[in-house]
Amino acid sequence: MDPRPSLCVAVQIERERQPNSWEDWRFRITQVLADDGRFGAGARTLRDDGRHAVFLHPGLEVALYPDEAAGYRLNLDSGAPAWFVMWRVADDDPSRAWPERVTLSYHEAGRLLDAQERVDSLPLPPELLPWLADFALAHDRPEPRRRRRPASFQAPGER
């Protein structure tokens, strides 16, 4: 098995102008698509009528890492396996957003959220479940459970 299998994806982002009186722009990740090169190299606008726009960002790599296997297993065991897309909004132009990273690890998504990043999830296609499950099973090594000795059986210095 390849030590770090990967696939290339494209992320589709939808932008809405003034969805309510509190926001100037609202962004939403709408799709993660397999990218076999047909989308080109750079981001492009698919539709923009001034109020709603759709952008496609191709060429993002989703690599599987052995030390994230527990996070992949947790994603699979969640009942709703998902892509996790981390995305950002430009500081100088709040009408522009782009995806930075796509992962399948529940743990990595949690770390990104802890770092105050924007992370959206989308359902993982069923055809990718066996690929992810095979990798997670091959690399996830749960720590063995250890029996804790009651304090009364421990030496006074170990209590």
Side-chain angles (χ1 to χ4, degrees), residues 67-84 103-111 124 129 132-133 135-137 139-142:
D67 57 343
E68 287 290 337
Y72 304 138
R73 187 180 44 77
L74 191 58
N75 188 8
L76 289 164
D77 293 345
S78 70
W83 302 101
F84 299 103
T103 184
L104 294 169
S105 170
Y106 224 81
H107 294 306
E108 185 177 2
R111 288 190 301 270
L124 188 64
L129 296 177
L132 184 58
F135 186 86
L137 287 173
H139 295 281
D140 186 24
R141 304 286 180 247

Side-chain angles (χ1 to χ4, degrees), residues 13 29 32 43 82 88 100 108 121 127:
I13 299 179
I29 305 296
V32 176
R88 292 192 170 144
E100 281 281 328
E108 185 177 2
S121 64
E127 60 268 15

Side-chain angles (χ1 to χ4, degrees), residues 18-44:
Q18 294 181 323
N20 56 51
S21 59
W22 298 279
E23 294 178 290
D24 289 331
W25 303 98
R26 178 182 298 161
F27 296 95
R28 189 171 65 97
I29 305 296
T30 57
Q31 238 177 340
V32 176
L33 306 162
D35 183 4
D36 57 4
R38 70 178 185 257
F39 299 125
R44 64 179 199 225

Side-chain angles (χ1 to χ4, degrees), residues 76-143:
L76 289 164
D77 293 345
S78 70
W83 302 101
F84 299 103
V85 181
M86 190 268 279
W87 57 280
R88 292 192 170 144
V89 175
D91 291 332
D92 59 340
D93 182 5
S95 69
R96 199 169 55 89
W98 66 93
E100 281 281 328
R101 180 184 293 170
V102 180
T103 184
L104 294 169
S105 170
Y106 224 81
H107 294 306
E108 185 177 2
R111 288 190 301 270
L112 291 168
L113 286 168
D114 288 345
Q116 303 298 309
E117 297 288 357
R118 293 176 174 96
V119 178
D120 286 356
S121 64
L122 289 169
L124 188 64
E127 60 268 15
L128 290 178
L129 296 177
W131 175 71
L132 184 58
D134 289 345
F135 186 86
L137 287 173
H139 295 281
D140 186 24
R141 304 286 180 247
E143 288 189 30

